[in-house]
Amino acid sequence: MAKIMTSQSHKSQSCCGFGPPFGCHVTTFPRLLLMLFLGLSPETWAQQGTQPHSIKIEGDITLGGLFPVHSRGPAGVPCGEIKREKGIHRMEAMLYALDQINSDPDLLPNITLGARILDTCSRDTYALEQSLTFVQALIQKDNSDVRCSNGEPPIIPKPERVVGVIGASGSSVSIMVANVLRLFAIPQISYASTAPELSDKSRYEFFSRVVPPDSYQAQAMVDIVKAMGWNYVSTLASEGNYGESGVDAFLQISREAGGLCIAQSIKIPREPKPGGFDKIIKRLMETSNARGVIIFANEDDIRRVLEAAKRANLTGHFLFVGSDSWGAKSSPILDQEDVAEGAVTILPKRASIDGFDNYFTSRSLENNRRNIWFAEYWEDDFKCKLTRAGIKYDLGRRKCTGEERIAQESQYEQEGKVQFVIDAVYVMAHALHSMHLDLCPGSMGVCEKMDPVEGSKLLQYIRSVNFNGSAGTGVMFNENGDAPGRYDIFQFQLSNTTNPGYRCIGQWTNYLRLNAEEMQWSGGDSAVPDSVCSFPCELGERKKMVKGVPCCWHCELCDGYQYQLDELNCDMCPFDMRPMPNRTGCRSTPIIKLEWSSPWAIIPVFLAVLGILATSGCIITFIRFNNSPIVRASGRELSYVLLTGIFLIYLITFLMIAEPSAPVCAFRRLLLGLGMCITYSAMLTKTNRIYRIFEQGKKAVTPPPFISPASQLIITFILIGVQLLGVFIWFGVVPPHTIIDYEEQHPPNPEFARGVLKCDMSDLALVLCLSYSIVLMVTCTVYAIKSRGVPETFNEAKPIGFTMYTTCIVWLAFVPIFFGTAQSTEKMFIQTTTLTVSMSLSATVSLGMLYIPKVYVIIFLPEQNVQKRKRSFKAVASAVTTQLSQKEDKQNGESKSSTIVPDRSQ
């Protein structure tokens, strides 16, 4: 046991055998020394007097008691007004418990418990000064040199020895007192201090409590907040150990649990400045979405916060979650019920002790003289004034009669911590009882082994107790001296209830049980209000988190071809898919092709059908009149080849519109260039033959080689063979197959996205497929231009020339239309229609220029379809020479006449 050795110089005493129990003036120096050691002000103690204002109950073993009988006084005054519930009720609960224990024959038989009860005045420094009373007996004093004025040694009464302390109430007070009591190994049991730091046994090893620490309370409050679906709240804490440590525990647990963010963490100063609470409300409104407010504050601060919210016209906005300092008390919400509506509060599980109610309501001025503060309580409770010596009578109050009765002529409701005060006293009694059984077996009263009681041993017995307390619940301690966490959850309700007030809506014993259907909010609404930084995003939206605030985000739509991968990310759909309408996934992109019923197909098909009919008519006519002069004169063999090419050109329209498949794609490759190749190979052979004949006629009378029909066919088929060779090489390198092009119709709006079923023929491949035919067409055009001067009666060079001129115009128009629509969403349709129409027009031009007139003559003008005189090559050559000579003479005659015309102007 720690002891402090002090010495005292020679002093002359005049108080031998009288005066204070400390014996003359000798004990003031050790007390002063201890105060200086603890950093206290000696002047403050001197102002309060040397004897603490306390209650003394005689007994064999004395317990200390610390209660906030008075509130904190204004500046310079340690104590203020009396506290009826937190002070007098709790203090009387200790007296009641002592009476019950001392009258119990089975608990501490033949041993009477006494008490020394002090007032802390709700101030930690004042409580520390008062608590020095508990350690005075443990200070060893050297009084050998002290003598009275007559030379005799002083008579120093033995100071009372306190074996344990019940209290204190506030955590800051308990922490201050615990720092002193641990020096002297005096066990301490609190009935209301819940600061988590008091669980640190390396600093407060002699401290225990019958209430759970705020770490349990903070866990319960975190569970409540999460059960209501809140993730964005603010915290309010009164400055001091209780408020700050409670909020710190809440913050730590919320961080560990995750999913909960703190918008504001505000501390209420001990001495707030005017307008300070209005500023607090303004700060809370800076994050107005955080409607939930976790409050660890004393009653006065709670009340002033509610008042400030009401002044700001924010009734119903804030959703308070209050700690046990709020609990189910009416004083913090008095006249502020509308602001407090819906507040969820927490209180250690307790029950009203009927025995205490009977005890307390029977107290009167006559039977309760041991309570030195009871008269002051009486005056405050009944609003009257007692006549006391030295105190001026207040004319504004009625005079107390002493016949008033508690709960009959005044309001009475048992204070919430009464149960825990009684349990704390019983813990001491049970620990002393077990200690007595072990150290003093069979002994009546206190034996030598318990005189004095060793604090460290008593602490072991305290930590080992396990009994049913005053409310029938188990009383025990864990390794940190904390009671198990058992809480009742209350909500203050006003609307739609026959009995407005606090209603129990759940419990917490290591886990939360909340009756959500019994909850009620402002205006009687049963739906839990929101206290979230950001509301959940809609389907198809991702969360863009706000940096540093994991509960806050902005919602961004997964646009374009993105879908919602998870709540934080969007991802692109695969190339062959598009997002669903709600963008929660992807769906297959519809596959389209050119339908027969499409306007893009109707026009080409119509032209092709007309062309096929016309071509078939020409072929049939030529076959029917195969030996007629016109048919024979037009070159039957090449005409049939040419008409076959025209027929294939019309036929390709149907292959281009047909649903793509491997066979269709193969025929497209084969026939797309073959029809034009056959047509223009035959035309080129004809124009080349004509050109060679008449060019040869200018030079000689012998015909040029390879002008016979057989030669012409061979030349034509050789030209056609080049096209077929290229196509078959293409077949071998890249076998024909279909593809689905998802890029062609891929607009910004995915609703209009389509996959186009087509053959594996790119624009470049199509141009290459037609390029040979275009070369033939251009070559044929060149020969047609060169043959334009031959006699009209000898050949069809000029019709072929007109045909090629027109065809070139058609294909020149085709190129910009075909390649200019490459970026259009209707690309496939436009290009297919353009290609087929251009081919049909070129075939129609050839058919109309070369064969329709002949068919017309054969059918409608048969008299012209007669054999003309057959001319030899020599005659043809002579005719050409004559025609050329006539042209030259005509040109020379015009020149000569121009020289002999007289000048009529002279």
Side-chain angles (χ1 to χ4, degrees):
M1 182 179 297
K3 298 186 179 182
I4 297 179
M5 304 294 294
T6 63
S7 63
Q8 181 74 22
S9 60
H10 292 281
K11 289 184 175 66
S12 176
Q13 305 292 331
S14 60
C15 51
C16 300
F18 307 96
F22 301 132
C24 303
H25 190 64
V26 295
T27 55
T28 59
F29 180 74
R31 183 185 298 271
L32 180 61
L33 183 63
L34 183 59
M35 290 173 62
L36 292 174
F37 174 74
L38 295 171
L40 300 178
S41 169
E43 290 79 3
T44 304
W45 179 263
Q47 292 175 1
Q48 297 165 7
T50 58
Q51 175 62 32
H53 207 167
S54 63
I55 294 176
K56 169 63 179 175
I57 305 295
E58 297 294 338
D60 300 319
I61 298 176
T62 302
L63 303 179
L66 292 172
F67 296 92
V69 178
H70 292 86
S71 62
R72 178 183 302 183
V77 181
C79 301
E81 298 178 349
I82 196 165
K83 301 178 76 171
R84 289 184 295 173
E85 288 82 14
K86 279 192 173 183
I88 297 300
H89 281 207
R90 294 179 181 180
M91 189 269 294
E92 284 288 351
M94 181 173 180
L95 297 178
Y96 167 75
L98 291 174
D99 292 344
Q100 295 296 309
I101 293 168
N102 290 333
S103 62
D104 189 343
D106 298 324
L107 186 60
L108 290 175
N110 300 312
I111 297 178
T112 302
L113 289 181
R116 170 71 71 176
I117 301 176
L118 303 176
D119 180 11
T120 65
C121 291
S122 306
R123 190 187 296 271
D124 49 5
T125 54
Y126 181 81
L128 178 58
E129 295 166 358
Q130 292 287 72
S131 65
L132 298 181
T133 301
F134 299 145
V135 301
Q136 61 183 354
L138 303 178
I139 301 175
Q140 184 174 340
K141 297 172 284 292
D142 183 7
N143 298 322
S144 59
D145 294 336
V146 180
R147 292 291 183 272
C148 292
S149 58
N150 57 5
E152 295 180 359
I155 301 173
I156 302 176
K158 182 180 179 181
E160 62 185 352
R161 189 183 188 93
V162 174
V163 300
V165 175
I166 306 299
S169 177
S171 294
S172 58
V173 176
S174 289
I175 288 172
M176 192 74 81
V177 172
N179 285 319
V180 175
L181 298 182
R182 67 184 291 268
L183 298 176
F184 301 94
I186 299 177
Q188 176 187 0
I189 302 176
S190 174
Y191 49 83
S193 298
T194 56
E197 63 183 281
L198 287 166
S199 298
D200 184 0
K201 294 303 115 177
S202 64
R203 298 173 58 195
Y204 310 104
E205 63 268 33
F206 284 87
F207 178 85
S208 305
R209 49 187 163 193
V210 291
V211 290
D214 284 338
S215 55
Y216 292 161
Q217 182 176 196
Q219 180 65 65
M221 297 172 82
V222 169
D223 291 347
I224 291 170
V225 168
K226 288 199 165 187
M228 291 190 290
W230 299 349
N231 65 8
Y232 197 52
V233 297
S234 297
T235 63
L236 276 179
S238 291
E239 185 177 3
N241 292 100
Y242 171 77
E244 294 179 45
S245 60
V247 165
D248 288 343
F250 181 87
L251 297 179
Q252 181 179 353
I253 294 172
S254 65
R255 281 194 297 267
E256 293 172 355
L260 185 59
C261 299
I262 307 302
Q264 303 268 6
S265 190
I266 303 174
K267 184 191 298 183
I268 303 172
R270 293 180 188 270
E271 303 293 339
K273 297 179 181 179
F277 286 90
D278 295 326
K279 293 181 180 178
I280 289 174
I281 296 299
K282 287 182 179 179
R283 280 193 60 188
L284 291 175
M285 286 305 295
E286 290 175 2
T287 51
S288 57
N289 278 2
R291 297 179 62 189
V293 179
I294 312 303
I295 183 165
F296 280 85
N298 58 53
E299 294 180 34
D300 292 339
D301 288 344
I302 294 171
R303 184 176 64 255
R304 286 183 282 186
V305 166
L306 297 178
E307 290 172 351
K310 191 171 186 177
R311 285 195 300 271
N313 197 27
L314 293 172
T315 299
H317 177 79
F318 293 113
L319 311 168
F320 294 100
V321 179
S323 63
D324 60 347
S325 62
W326 185 333
K329 299 171 188 172
S330 57
S331 55
I333 62 172
L334 189 62
D335 299 327
Q336 311 298 331
E337 289 84 355
D338 52 346
V339 185
E341 184 178 8
V344 177
T345 60
I346 190 170
L347 194 63
K349 198 169 185 64
R350 62 183 178 87
S352 182
I353 310 303
D354 295 336
F356 176 79
D357 288 339
N358 296 332
Y359 161 80
F360 191 78
T361 54
S362 66
R363 297 298 89 191
S364 67
L365 294 172
E366 294 298 325
N367 62 16
N368 200 21
R369 294 182 180 274
R370 62 182 179 179
N371 184 347
I372 61 174
W373 297 292
F374 195 70
E376 189 177 354
Y377 168 83
W378 195 271
E379 290 178 327
D380 187 74
D381 193 39
F382 294 107
K383 304 297 184 291
C384 63
K385 193 66 177 177
L386 292 171
T387 303
R388 285 181 285 173
I391 298 178
K392 186 177 180 180
Y393 179 70
D394 187 357
L395 298 177
R397 283 193 176 189
R398 68 178 181 85
K399 185 177 181 181
C400 300
T401 63
E403 300 300 324
E404 296 89 352
R405 288 294 174 264
I406 298 174
Q408 295 180 8
E409 300 176 44
S410 66
Q411 292 184 350
Y412 166 76
E413 182 180 358
Q414 187 179 125
E415 201 275 333
K417 295 293 194 300
V418 164
Q419 167 198 339
F420 300 107
V421 175
I422 297 172
D423 288 345
V425 177
Y426 266 88
V427 167
M428 284 289 188
H430 280 282
L432 289 168
H433 183 80
S434 299
M435 188 178 189
H436 184 266
L437 292 177
D438 292 343
L439 300 182
C440 308
S443 174
M444 302 294 290
V446 179
C447 65
E448 291 183 0
K449 291 184 178 181
M450 288 185 64
D451 190 15
V453 173
E454 188 175 342
S456 57
K457 285 187 177 180
L458 178 59
L459 179 64
Q460 295 176 9
Y461 286 101
I462 289 174
R463 298 287 172 82
S464 301
V465 299
N466 191 343
F467 64 95
N468 287 331
S470 56
T473 56
V475 178
M476 64 195 75
F477 300 101
N478 62 14
E479 65 277 6
N480 295 323
D482 298 326
R486 292 188 289 261
Y487 296 97
D488 284 325
I489 313 298
F490 295 91
Q491 186 182 40
F492 184 72
Q493 300 179 355
L494 284 180
S495 306
N496 298 334
T497 177
T498 56
N499 186 22
Y502 293 99
R503 181 175 182 180
C504 185
I505 58 171
Q507 295 83 34
W508 190 92
T509 51
N510 296 323
Y511 64 92
L512 179 66
R513 290 174 295 175
L514 194 65
N515 300 322
E517 62 276 4
E518 295 183 5
M519 301 183 75
Q520 199 173 88
W521 305 91
S522 180
D525 191 3
S526 59
V528 179
D530 293 313
S531 182
V532 294
C533 181
S534 303
F535 291 97
C537 293
E538 300 290 337
L539 290 176
E541 294 179 340
R542 76 175 186 94
K543 294 179 180 178
K544 184 180 181 182
M545 306 306 297
V546 176
K547 187 176 181 180
V549 189
C551 300
C552 299
W553 58 81
H554 303 296
C555 294
E556 286 189 349
L557 179 67
C558 297
D559 57 358
Y561 287 81
Q562 294 181 327
Y563 72 99
Q564 186 180 0
L565 179 63
D566 52 45
E567 65 176 10
L568 297 178
N569 297 290
C570 297
D571 198 10
M572 293 294 295
C573 285
F575 74 96
D576 59 342
M577 304 185 80
R578 59 178 179 166
M580 298 174 66
N582 59 9
R583 296 186 178 270
T584 57
C586 295
R587 53 180 172 161
S588 298
T589 301
I591 308 301
I592 63 169
K593 58 183 179 59
L594 185 57
E595 301 292 342
W596 294 102
S597 58
S598 169
W600 297 105
I602 292 175
I603 295 175
V605 168
F606 177 74
L607 293 177
V609 169
L610 291 180
I612 288 173
L613 292 175
T615 305
S616 300
C618 289
I619 294 173
I620 293 171
T621 301
F622 266 55
I623 294 174
R624 171 69 180 81
F625 299 96
N626 186 56
N627 293 318
S628 65
I630 289 181
V631 173
R632 292 173 62 189
S634 63
R636 289 175 297 182
E637 296 78 8
L638 284 182
S639 291
Y640 288 126
V641 172
L642 199 149
L643 287 170
T644 302
I646 293 174
F647 184 88
L648 292 178
I649 291 175
Y650 285 122
L651 185 64
I652 193 64
T653 296
F654 298 94
L655 291 174
M656 297 299 294
I657 296 174
E659 181 176 351
S661 64
V664 169
C665 293
F667 279 109
R668 280 190 190 180
R669 286 191 189 182
L670 180 63
L671 299 182
L672 181 62
L674 184 61
M676 292 181 63
C677 178
I678 293 173
T679 300
Y680 297 122
S681 293
M683 284 190 186
L684 177 59
T685 302
K686 275 192 173 188
T687 54
N688 176 263
R689 175 175 174 271
I690 296 170
Y691 174 76
R692 287 190 297 115
I693 289 174
F694 288 97
E695 283 296 316
Q696 183 69 20
K698 296 177 183 178
K699 302 174 183 178
V701 294
T702 58
F706 309 115
I707 61 173
S708 66
S711 300
Q712 298 297 294
L713 288 176
I714 292 172
I715 294 172
T716 301
F717 287 131
I718 289 174
L719 294 175
I720 295 171
V722 174
Q723 173 77 16
L724 292 174
L725 178 63
V727 171
F728 285 116
I729 292 174
W730 187 9
F731 281 162
V733 175
V734 183
H737 61 277
T738 60
I739 61 171
I740 300 176
D741 188 352
Y742 292 97
E743 296 297 328
E744 183 172 317
Q745 293 201 21
H746 197 74
N749 187 349
E751 289 300 311
F752 299 108
R754 298 292 185 271
V756 179
L757 178 64
K758 56 168 51 175
C759 291
D760 61 326
M761 187 182 297
S762 64
D763 293 348
L764 178 61
L766 186 144
V767 170
L768 291 176
C769 185
L770 295 175
S771 59
Y772 181 65
S773 299
I774 294 174
V775 170
L776 295 175
M777 181 180 67
V778 171
T779 305
C780 184
T781 303
V782 171
Y783 276 110
I785 294 173
K786 288 184 176 183
S787 303
R788 68 184 184 279
V790 300
E792 297 180 3
T793 58
F794 289 98
N795 59 75
E796 51 187 4
K798 289 185 177 180
I800 292 176
F802 288 129
T803 299
M804 300 317 301
Y805 305 152
T806 308
T807 303
C808 288
I809 293 172
V810 170
W811 286 100
L812 286 174
F814 159 79
V815 171
I817 297 175
F818 185 87
F819 292 100
T821 58
Q823 303 301 322
S824 173
T825 56
E826 304 287 338
K827 171 186 173 182
M828 183 195 71
F829 306 137
I830 296 176
Q831 289 187 342
T832 300
T833 301
T834 303
L835 177 62
T836 53
V837 169
S838 297
M839 295 183 73
S840 295
L841 288 177
S842 62
T844 302
V845 168
S846 300
L847 187 67
M849 292 285 187
L850 299 178
Y851 293 104
I852 295 298
K854 292 180 175 62
V855 171
Y856 180 80
V857 170
I858 292 172
I859 297 176
F860 297 104
L861 300 173
E863 66 277 7
Q864 295 184 11
N865 187 11
V866 295
Q867 179 73 39
K868 294 185 179 180
R869 182 171 60 89
K870 185 175 181 181
R871 298 183 180 184
S872 64
F873 179 79
K874 182 179 179 180
V876 172
S878 299
V880 170
T881 302
T882 304
Q883 187 175 8
L884 291 175
S885 298
Q886 291 176 351
K887 286 184 177 181
E888 290 178 359
D889 293 341
K890 184 178 180 180
Q891 291 175 357
N892 292 333
E894 290 176 355
S895 174
K896 182 178 180 181
S897 63
S898 63
T899 60
I900 63 174
V901 174
D903 188 359
R904 301 179 185 273
S905 61
Q906 296 180 349

